[in-house]
Amino acid sequence: MIARMLRRPLPALLAALAMAGPALAGPQEGAAKAQACAACHGPEGNSTNPAIPSLSAQPKQFIVSALYQFREGKRKNEQMTPMAAGLSNADMNDLAAYFAMQKAPAPQHKTKPENIDPGKRLTAQHNCIACHAGNLMGQQHIPRIAGQHEAYLREQLRGFKASTRAEMDGVMTSAAQALSEKDIEVLADYLAGLPAAN
């Protein structure tokens, strides 16, 4: 069975990991394991640090995917790489189940009025809503970007444009190539002010 799983394309493998062991994967187990995450990502995954993403209300499969990439060295980060290195598949599923069930707070960020219409237009023009869903709450292995920190969003978009931000399939790197620095500023401001409704 493991050999069959390893031959699958990465998105299919991540989906299989996210669904494996439903009896083991749960918010109760994840709550205890998430204590180590709170120092950076905040209580219940609600980060107060603008450079660190909130994990609350993220799709379960996205969290498994991100942890898997850090664990396998496909994505690198000074803090996350060592944190993920020792995680088992069950740990990743438990953490994902916990964070996916947490309520995202109302955004503290207020989008500049002049960026609302252009931001909305850019999310349609660059297919953000096609992948991240109409409400930009994410789906499957694609993250919630509504209500995420402006500074974090800006940094990630710049990383995708520069091809320095690792990802699974190259979709974001490709999508970001057409963005100007002004577009990135507008998108980050617009997205950060959107409600992250569960």
Side-chain angles (χ1 to χ4, degrees):
M1 179 177 167
I2 298 293
R4 260 198 331 260
M5 282 180 66
L6 292 175
R7 285 195 300 267
R8 295 180 184 182
L10 188 55
L13 174 60
L14 293 171
L17 284 174
M19 295 181 10
L24 295 174
Q28 290 179 334
E29 293 83 356
K33 295 174 182 180
Q35 295 302 310
C37 310
C40 294
H41 292 282
E44 299 175 343
N46 292 312
S47 166
T48 56
N49 183 332
I52 296 176
S54 287
L55 303 178
S56 57
Q58 289 287 2
K60 180 183 173 194
Q61 191 179 337
F62 164 70
I63 296 173
V64 171
S65 166
L67 291 172
Y68 175 83
Q69 289 178 73
F70 283 123
R71 186 184 75 181
E72 301 302 310
K74 297 180 183 305
R75 186 174 167 194
K76 298 184 189 312
N77 176 275
E78 208 172 84
Q79 285 81 35
M80 280 305 303
T81 300
M83 290 296 289
L87 294 178
S88 68
N89 291 350
D91 292 334
M92 293 191 299
N93 276 288
D94 290 344
L95 287 165
Y98 170 74
F99 286 122
M101 290 191 66
Q102 302 313 303
K103 185 171 176 55
Q108 301 298 305
H109 180 85
K110 301 290 182 207
T111 301
K112 294 174 185 166
E114 65 268 25
N115 286 339
I116 293 173
D117 287 340
K120 190 172 185 179
R121 190 168 51 252
L122 284 167
T123 62
Q125 180 184 340
H126 294 282
N127 297 315
C128 305
I129 56 176
C131 293
H132 294 274
N135 58 2
L136 301 164
M137 285 294 290
Q139 57 184 334
Q140 299 171 15
H141 66 282
I142 299 167
R144 164 178 74 79
I145 52 177
Q148 191 59 270
H149 292 302
E150 179 187 20
Y152 177 77
L153 290 165
R154 188 185 311 113
E155 191 63 26
Q156 299 313 299
L157 287 169
R158 286 176 178 160
F160 285 125
K161 183 173 175 65
S163 300
T164 56
R165 163 65 157 83
E167 61 174 319
M168 264 187 350
D169 50 20
V171 171
M172 274 304 303
T173 299
S174 177
Q177 298 312 300
L179 296 175
S180 67
E181 181 58 25
K182 174 66 174 169
D183 292 339
I184 289 172
E185 293 287 344
V186 168
L187 275 170
D189 180 42
Y190 172 70
L191 295 169
L194 293 176
N198 290 69

